[in-house]
Amino acid sequence: MSLRMTRQHRGLRSYIWTWQHSAQLLVLLLAFWLVLWWAAPLLMHRWADVLGWAWPHLGLGSSEGVEVQTTSLLGVPIEVVRTHFYVPPPSLWQWWGGALLSLGLMALSFVLSRERLPLIYGLRIVALLGIVGLLSYEFLPTLAVSDVNRLLADNILDMGLAMLWLLPAVHALVLYIFPIPVLHKVAATMTGMLMLVVSIPLQAASLAWLAQQFSLLVTLPLYMLFSFLPQIAAQLGIYGLFMSFAPAPERGGA
C-alpha cells in the first residue's frame, strides 16, 4: 500500500529568506509610508469635499456640517474630517418596538435547533446590541446624543485614516514575507488602500443617514456591527486573494 503525503498549507511552508527579501520589504514599506505622508492631507480634503456634497443631498444638514480640522497625535499635527448632523431621539413606540424586537430575536435564538449555531449566535449578538442600545439611551441619554457624530461618522473616518497607515505594515508582516512577485505585493497593498479610500466616506455617510432615518436607538448597534467588521472582512478577502498567488506546496518531501 502506497503512502501519500498530505499537502501542506502554503502558509505553513518554510521559505528561504535572504537579505534581498528584507531590503525589498523595507523599501516597499517606506515607499507606501512616504506616499501617505504626502497624500493623507489631500485625501482628508477630498473626503470632506465628497461628504460636504453628500450631506445636503442625504438630508443630514448643510455642507458646513463637514470640515477638516487639525488635531494632534503624539505631538504630531494631523488633519482629520469632522462632521455634524442630527439624529432624532426615539418615540415611545420606537422604544417599545425595539424592545419587543430585541426580546423576540433573543427568544427565537433559543428555539432554533443546535444545527443552526451561526444563526443562533448572530441573532443573540443583534438582540444583545439592541438591548444595550435601549438601555444606554434610557439611562445615559446625554451620552447617546453627544457621541452620535463621533461614533457614526468621525470614528469611521479616523479608523479609515489609521488603517491606511497600518495596512502597509500589516502586509509587510503577513504578505511580503512570502515569495510572491513584487508587483503582486504592490498591487495587494494598493488594492487594500483603494478599498479604504473609496469605502470609508461611503460607510460614514451611510451610517449617519441610517441613524437619522431611525433614531438614537440604532446608534450603538450600527457602530458595533457596521464599523470595523466590514472593513476587516474586505481586507481579509483582499489578503486571501493575493495570498493565492504564493507558490503551492510541492507533492512529497518536506
Side-chain angles (χ1 to χ4, degrees), residues 93-124:
W93 72 266
Q94 284 178 322
W95 196 96
W96 281 107
L100 291 175
L101 179 61
S102 299
L103 293 176
L105 292 177
M106 184 66 73
L108 178 61
S109 70
F110 286 99
V111 175
L112 295 175
S113 65
R114 304 297 292 178
E115 297 176 352
R116 300 182 177 180
L117 277 180
L119 178 59
I120 290 174
Y121 291 142
L123 290 175
R124 290 179 183 177

Side-chain angles (χ1 to χ4, degrees), residues 7-19:
R7 289 177 64 86
Q8 187 184 34
H9 189 277
R10 58 172 56 91
L12 300 177
R13 183 175 171 81
S14 297
Y15 298 101
I16 298 176
W17 187 265
T18 65
W19 69 268

Side-chain angles (χ1 to χ4, degrees), residues 60 86-91 93-95 98 101 148 152 206-219 221-222 226:
L60 294 171
Y86 174 73
V87 176
S91 62
W93 72 266
Q94 284 178 322
W95 196 96
L101 179 61
V148 64
L152 292 183
S206 299
L207 293 182
W209 181 82
L210 285 172
Q212 190 183 68
Q213 298 307 305
F214 293 94
S215 69
L216 289 170
L217 292 181
V218 302
T219 300
L222 284 177
F226 301 110

Side-chain angles (χ1 to χ4, degrees), residues 124-136:
R124 290 179 183 177
I125 290 173
V126 173
L128 182 60
L129 289 175
I131 292 172
V132 171
L134 291 165
L135 295 178
S136 65

Side-chain angles (χ1 to χ4, degrees), residues 130-236:
I131 292 172
V132 171
L134 291 165
L135 295 178
S136 65
Y137 175 77
E138 186 66 24
F139 296 103
L140 299 170
T142 304
L143 180 63
V145 173
S146 63
D147 281 1
V148 64
N149 293 297
R150 181 178 63 83
L151 282 177
L152 292 183
D154 296 353
N155 270 5
I156 303 297
L157 296 165
D158 291 348
M159 176 193 71
L161 179 60
M163 290 184 70
L164 281 170
W165 282 98
L166 290 174
L167 187 62
V170 172
H171 279 190
L173 291 174
V174 300
L175 183 65
Y176 296 171
I177 59 175
F178 294 102
I180 302 172
V182 64
L183 291 180
H184 289 170
K185 297 177 182 179
V186 173
T189 305
M190 291 185 64
T191 302
M193 295 173 72
L194 181 61
M195 176 69 186
L196 291 169
V197 168
V198 174
S199 65
I200 287 295
L202 177 62
Q203 184 180 4
S206 299
L207 293 182
W209 181 82
L210 285 172
Q212 190 183 68
Q213 298 307 305
F214 293 94
S215 69
L216 289 170
L217 292 181
V218 302
T219 300
L220 184 61
L222 284 177
Y223 177 74
M224 296 299 294
L225 291 174
F226 301 110
S227 57
F228 298 96
L229 292 180
Q231 295 297 337
I232 292 175
Q235 294 301 327
L236 286 176

